[in-house]
């Protein structure tokens, strides 16, 4: 259910206009996005899970990681990968082939990352506090939003841009406080969604302008409209702990990291299994030890999987 932040001075009607169910402008933008995807000839994931390669290992060197948690692809800047290297307190930058390019240090342990392509910046969550930081892609701190928690591990588990917002709103999943928060681009807290949300691990949008969370306590996916109203839940009985989410807009399917089952699950839009879960516990090419996040390169159809326990990124096609 939608709750207004009483300290916010925004015009309520303006905010509601932004987050209400598909209006005429959003319908137009959805159609334009679909036409754009057809023109660009984007490639979805094949669901074959053919192993391509992997990169990374445990350590502090440039091409190593310690507590790798998230990955984001920047398709506008030479297709770079931004990787959350939490215990090393840094964002590591690689090319799409897994070759190290650069990094920038942080004064905190990051938990998640997303790209704001409108402002050409990065939004980074803090593992230990309810804070979101905005950085330039070169690593310059621009701003920070949110408030520090009163206890350890009040962490941000996911951030996603509102794909159709003309004002740059973004949504945040707060794992410890069991809520989804809506922020303006300048960091004003607009609304909080708490009803039907338990331990949100990640948050994404589908191509119908609805947001989806992976619920760690209820062990399922939950689909909401932009007003925070639950539309449906799905994926029950498939997961032990659903973590990272991806909506493949070409194949119209969800790809989910099931951390405790050490596999990946592919569901169609209705929540049905597309194929048998892929992967099992182990150190082999087609095995995982707690996969926690993933990203898809729509130019190549390659899926990047964050294998937390094996401390590497694995590529599949």
């Amino acid at each position: 259910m939608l709750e207004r932040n009483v300290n916010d001075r925004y015009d309520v009607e303006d905010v509601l206009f932004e987050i209400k169910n598909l209006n005429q402008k959003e319908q137009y933008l959805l159609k334009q996005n679909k036409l754009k995807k057809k023109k660009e000839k984007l490639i979805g994931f094949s669901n074959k899970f053919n192993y391509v390669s992997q990169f990374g290992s445990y350590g502090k060197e440039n091409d190593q990681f310690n507590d790798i948690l998230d990955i984001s692809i920047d398709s506008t800047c030479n297709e770079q990968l931004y990787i959350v290297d939490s215990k090393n307190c840094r964002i590591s930058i690689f090319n799409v082939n897994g070759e190290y390019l650069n990094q920038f240090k942080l004064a905190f342990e990051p938990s998640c990352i997303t790209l704001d392509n409108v402002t050409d910046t990065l939004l980074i969550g803090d593992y230990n506090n309810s804070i979101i930081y905005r950085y330039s892609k070169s690593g310059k701190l621009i701003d920070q939003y949110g408030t520090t928690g009163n206890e350890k591990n009040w962490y941000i588990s996911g951030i996603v841009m509102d794909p159709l917002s003309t004002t740059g709103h973004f949504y945040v999943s707060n794992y410890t406080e069991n809520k989804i928060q809506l922020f303006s681009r300048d960091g004003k807290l607009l609304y909080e969604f708490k009803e039907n949300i338990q331990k949100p691990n990640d948050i994404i949008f589908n191509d119908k302008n609805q947001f989806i969370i992976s619920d760690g306590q209820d062990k399922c996916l939950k689909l909401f409209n932009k007003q925070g109203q639950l539309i449906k839940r799905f994926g029950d009985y498939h997961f032990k702990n659903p973590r990272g989410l991806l909506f493949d807009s070409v194949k119209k399917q969800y790809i989910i990291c099931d951390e405790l089952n050490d596999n990946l699950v592919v569901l169609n839009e209705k929540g049905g299994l597309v194929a048998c879960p892929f992967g099992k516990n182990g150190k082999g090419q087609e095995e995982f030890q707690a996969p926690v996040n993933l990203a898809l390169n729509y130019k190549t159809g390659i899926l990047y999987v964050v294998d937390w326990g094996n401390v590497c990124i694995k590529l599949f096609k």
Side-chain angles (χ1 to χ4, degrees):
M1 186 173 184
L2 191 147
E3 300 181 8
R4 185 161 189 264
N5 176 22
V6 295
N7 296 320
D8 180 42
R9 295 174 181 252
Y10 271 58
D11 189 313
V12 181
E13 292 184 359
D14 290 342
V15 176
L16 290 177
F17 176 80
E18 279 295 322
I19 67 173
K20 70 180 182 179
N21 287 328
L22 296 180
N23 53 40
Q24 291 183 349
K25 188 170 186 178
E26 289 177 331
Q27 291 280 12
Y28 171 78
L29 290 174
L30 281 174
K31 291 179 181 179
Q32 292 301 307
N33 285 345
K34 290 178 180 179
L35 290 173
K36 183 179 179 181
K37 288 173 184 176
K38 288 182 179 180
K39 186 176 181 180
E40 292 178 348
K41 296 181 179 179
L42 302 182
I43 303 173
F45 186 61
S46 68
N47 299 329
K48 295 181 180 179
F49 288 100
N50 293 322
Y51 175 83
V52 177
S53 63
Q54 67 185 64
F55 63 94
S57 61
Y58 176 79
K60 296 182 179 180
E61 299 301 319
N62 289 339
D63 59 350
Q64 295 180 314
F65 308 107
N66 183 3
D67 197 17
I68 179 173
L69 294 179
D70 199 4
I71 182 172
S72 188
I73 297 179
D74 183 2
S75 59
T76 67
C77 182
N78 300 318
E79 295 184 284
Q80 294 180 345
L81 305 175
Y82 291 87
I83 299 173
V84 171
D85 189 2
S86 188
K87 296 300 183 185
N88 284 328
C89 297
R90 67 189 181 189
I91 301 299
S92 297
I93 306 171
F94 289 74
N95 67 21
V96 292
N97 297 317
E99 298 168 339
Y100 173 81
L101 298 176
N102 204 350
Q103 64 174 269
F104 59 87
K105 297 290 290 183
L106 304 170
F108 59 95
E109 295 180 4
S111 58
C112 55
I113 189 169
T114 197
L115 289 151
D116 182 350
N117 289 324
V118 176
T119 61
D120 205 32
T121 59
L122 304 168
L123 291 173
I124 303 172
D126 187 334
Y127 190 95
N128 295 313
N129 295 288
S130 300
I131 299 178
I132 307 101
Y133 297 86
R134 187 183 294 276
Y135 277 81
S136 70
K137 291 179 180 178
S138 61
K140 180 181 178 181
L141 177 61
I142 298 172
D143 207 345
Q144 70 180 63
Y145 323 119
T147 57
T148 303
N150 296 319
E151 60 179 279
K152 205 68 172 170
N153 289 333
W154 284 45
Y155 82 98
I156 303 300
S157 53
I159 309 173
V160 64
M161 299 300 301
D162 182 340
L164 298 183
S165 173
T166 57
T167 57
H169 292 171
F170 59 92
Y171 290 73
V172 172
S173 57
N174 188 313
Y175 179 87
T176 310
E177 297 179 292
N178 301 317
K179 63 186 178 184
I180 302 299
Q181 297 170 295
L182 171 63
F183 288 87
S184 64
R185 172 158 285 151
D186 59 356
K188 298 291 185 181
L189 177 59
L190 304 179
Y191 284 99
E192 294 183 346
F193 313 104
K194 295 182 179 180
E195 192 172 334
N196 298 304
I197 296 173
Q198 299 290 333
K199 303 304 179 188
N201 278 320
D202 199 8
I203 179 170
I204 60 171
F205 270 86
N206 62 17
D207 62 353
K208 294 181 175 63
N209 207 25
Q210 303 160 330
F211 71 84
I212 303 94
I213 67 166
S214 50
D215 194 310
Q217 181 167 306
D218 289 343
K219 306 182 189 309
C220 67
L221 305 188
K222 294 179 179 178
L223 178 70
F224 296 83
N225 64 25
K226 291 174 71 176
Q227 292 175 302
Q229 297 168 328
L230 179 66
I231 298 174
K232 68 176 181 178
R233 56 182 284 169
F234 57 99
D236 297 82
Y237 314 115
H238 293 314
F239 306 109
K240 283 188 177 180
N241 185 33
R243 284 285 298 265
L245 295 175
L246 170 71
F247 178 72
D248 182 343
S249 60
V250 176
K251 292 293 189 70
K252 311 295 183 184
Q253 61 187 14
Y254 299 97
I255 308 176
I256 307 100
C257 293
D258 191 352
E259 178 186 20
L260 298 184
N261 274 326
D262 300 304
N263 62 25
L264 303 180
V265 178
V266 184
L267 302 177
N268 60 32
E269 288 184 293
K270 295 182 179 180
L273 276 173
V274 174
C276 294
F278 171 78
K280 62 181 181 178
N281 180 267
K283 298 182 179 181
Q285 294 180 350
E286 298 182 355
E287 297 173 332
F288 305 104
Q289 291 186 349
V292 295
N293 237 307
L294 67 175
L296 178 62
N297 187 337
Y298 283 105
K299 293 184 179 180
T300 62
I302 290 180
L303 183 70
Y304 298 79
V305 181
V306 177
D307 190 342
W308 181 84
N310 288 318
V311 199
C312 66
I313 305 290
K314 291 182 177 178
L315 284 64
F316 298 91
K317 192 170 184 179

